[in-house]
Amino acid sequence: QVRLVESGGGLVQPGGSLRLSCAASSRIDSVMGWYRQAPGKQRELVASITRYGGTNYVDSVKGRFTISRDNVKNTMDLQMNSLKPEDTAVYYCNVRTILGSGIWGQGTQVTVSS
């Protein structure tokens, strides 16, 4: 089974930027996405991207976040700009599977605070 490893999380001030990366151990043909889970809240889909570059974003991050993927390097990135305290969460890399549960990375913490 493919393994996913996230990196790039950390502590940033409101208005700052962070770039998250997800490295896959092998080629990914299906939709990939970034999810996040804030304390006391359900995990939510932040952004997704097809192999061909089609993207979707949750309304709260539109215009601030950009998802991308490199099908040669088997990586997926999330560029996060104008970060807000409400963006604080554990961010997870996900690969969609036909039968639903998906493949997940271990998560990386993003904390936006002054």
Side-chain angles (χ1 to χ4, degrees), residues 16-27:
S17 296
L18 217 51
R19 189 176 185 91
L20 306 183
S21 293
C22 172
S25 60
S26 62
R27 169 175 168 163

Side-chain angles (χ1 to χ4, degrees), residues 12-17 80-85 112:
V12 296
Q13 295 185 35
S17 296
M80 305 184 294
N81 298 325
S82 302
L83 283 161
K84 305 174 179 180
V112 185

Side-chain angles (χ1 to χ4, degrees), residues 89-106:
V90 178
Y91 284 71
Y92 297 90
C93 177
N94 171 264
V95 173
R96 187 170 297 176
T97 58
I98 298 297
L99 253 44
S101 66
I103 301 168
W104 299 87
Q106 83 288 347

Side-chain angles (χ1 to χ4, degrees), residues 34-101:
W34 287 98
Y35 287 72
R36 67 186 180 189
Q37 188 163 25
K41 297 208 168 187
Q42 294 283 345
R43 188 171 298 184
E44 69 170 346
L45 177 62
V46 177
S48 63
I49 184 167
T50 71
R51 180 174 177 82
Y52 310 101
T55 60
N56 287 104
Y57 299 90
V58 67
D59 285 346
S60 60
V61 310
K62 286 180 179 177
R64 300 189 297 120
F65 291 11
T66 303
I67 190 171
S68 61
R69 67 191 287 173
D70 187 327
N71 295 326
V72 175
K73 296 182 176 181
N74 301 325
T75 59
M76 177 181 66
D77 289 356
L78 185 68
Q79 178 65 47
M80 305 184 294
N81 298 325
S82 302
L83 283 161
K84 305 174 179 180
E86 49 262 47
D87 295 318
T88 295
V90 178
Y91 284 71
Y92 297 90
C93 177
N94 171 264
V95 173
R96 187 170 297 176
T97 58
I98 298 297
L99 253 44
S101 66

